[in-house]
Amino acid sequence: MRILVTNDDGYLALGIRALVRAAEDHGDVDIVAPDREQSATSHSLTMHHPLRVRTIREAHVVDGTPTDCVVLALGELMDEPPDFVFSGINHGANLGDDVLYSGTVAAAMEATILGIPAVAVSYTGRDPEAIEDWVPTVSTLLGRIVERGEFPDQTLLNVNLPAVPAREAKGVRVTRLGRRAYEGSLTRSRDPSGREYFWIGGGESRWWGEQDSDFRAIDEGYVSVTPLQLDLTDFDLLQDIRGWGLDT
Ligand code: MN
C-alpha cells in the first residue's frame, strides 16, 4: 500500500507528524506538504507564479497550497500513484460549513477528483500537543477503511476527532454535515498609522443540525466520519427549479 500524506498546517505541524505515524502502520508513506500554514485556503490552485519544491528530511515541501501539493505529488513527485491520500491531522475542527473553507478537506477533494481514495482528518481540540495521543485511534480507523479494498467513487471521508483525551473517546459515529455560523468574526479597525483595516477571524461560533450531524457526535465525545460527495448538484430541487421556466 502506497500512501500520500499532506495537510494545510505546513510540514512542521504536529498533526501531520501524527498522521504519518498512523499511516505508516498501513503502507509506505510519501509526504508532500506546504512549507507554511495554508489553513482556510480552500481549494485554491497556484497558477500565476512558479512553485518550488524542497526535500527536507523525508518530506517534499511545496511553497503552495494543499491542492498544489496533491497535484504535484500525483503529477510529478511520486513514481506511481498512491492507493490512498490522507490529509491532516488538522489543528482545529472541520465540521459543517467549514469544510468549504478548509485546505485540509480540499486536499482530499483534489485527490478524489484525480481518482485516488482520500480521507481528511481534523482534531477539534485547541491543543495540538494532544494530537499525538490520537495516533492509535486514527491508525485503527484508517486501517478499517483501507482494508475494505473498495472505496466509493467521487467520495471522500471527513474525519473529526473530539476534544477529549483520546482514551476517553466514546467510539465512532457516521454523520452528516451540520451547519455553523460565526458572529463577531469581522473586525474593522485602524492600524498605528491611522489607516483602516479589516480582519476576518475569531468571534463566536454556533452550530445546529440534525441528530446525526457531525457537530453532535463531536459534542458527545465521538469520532465523526462524514462521507462527502463532490457533485454539489441539489438533486432534491432539480425538478422544482426546472419548473421555474428558466429553460428556453
Ligand atoms: Mn489547518
Side-chain angles (χ1 to χ4, degrees):
M1 177 90 58
R2 182 167 285 275
I3 299 166
L4 169 65
V5 172
T6 189
N7 77 343
D8 79 355
D9 297 318
Y11 78 106
L12 289 172
L14 294 171
I16 195 170
R17 298 288 128 191
L19 186 55
V20 166
R21 282 177 52 208
E24 281 173 344
D25 291 340
H26 309 293
D28 296 325
V29 174
D30 282 279
I31 305 168
V32 182
D35 65 353
R36 70 197 76 181
E37 169 90 33
Q38 292 279 352
S39 295
T41 55
S42 186
H43 210 143
S44 65
L45 192 61
T46 301
M47 297 180 69
H48 301 294
H49 63 78
L51 291 165
R52 310 282 181 184
V53 182
R54 290 175 293 156
T55 303
I56 301 178
R57 292 196 292 273
E58 77 280 31
H60 291 291
V61 176
V62 181
D63 62 348
T65 67
T67 297
D68 294 333
C69 290
V70 174
V71 169
L72 262 58
L74 270 59
E76 286 290 336
L77 299 174
M78 296 182 75
D79 296 333
E80 47 189 301
D83 300 293
F84 267 88
V85 174
F86 298 151
S87 180
I89 298 172
N90 188 57
H91 299 188
N94 278 310
L95 299 162
D97 299 316
D98 281 348
V99 300
L100 296 174
Y101 302 93
S102 168
T104 305
V105 175
M109 282 184 179
E110 184 63 23
T112 305
I113 288 171
L114 297 173
I116 310 295
V119 182
V121 186
S122 303
Y123 172 62
T124 63
R126 292 183 182 274
D127 179 14
E129 301 273 350
I131 295 175
E132 190 178 352
D133 293 340
W134 283 93
V135 170
T137 306
V138 171
S139 175
T140 300
L141 180 60
L142 294 176
R144 287 165 62 192
I145 293 167
V146 303
E147 284 159 16
R148 281 190 56 81
E150 57 185 39
F151 199 88
D153 201 28
Q154 295 300 301
T155 302
L156 59 124
L157 297 180
N158 185 42
V159 174
N160 279 270
L161 309 172
V164 299
R167 65 185 174 281
E168 292 176 18
K170 288 191 184 148
V172 178
R173 277 191 187 160
V174 176
T175 60
R176 66 172 69 197
L177 291 180
R179 300 294 314 278
R180 169 173 281 206
Y182 288 99
E183 284 159 16
S185 63
L186 179 56
T187 300
R188 180 177 192 160
S189 191
R190 291 193 181 273
D191 69 17
S193 306
R195 293 173 58 210
E196 189 173 64
Y197 69 84
F198 299 88
W199 198 321
I200 299 170
E204 294 291 318
S205 63
R206 64 185 176 87
W207 61 268
W208 67 99
E210 304 292 328
Q211 199 57 43
D212 60 350
S213 60
D214 52 3
F215 287 101
R216 288 187 195 274
I218 289 300
D219 205 39
E220 291 168 17
Y222 288 84
V223 174
S224 166
V225 180
T226 311
L228 300 180
Q229 60 184 349
L230 296 185
D231 185 345
L232 296 176
T233 307
D234 189 335
F235 291 99
D236 289 342
L237 273 182
L238 204 49
Q239 287 307 325
D240 276 2
I241 305 299
R242 281 184 175 140
W244 287 14
L246 302 175
D247 286 330
T248 54

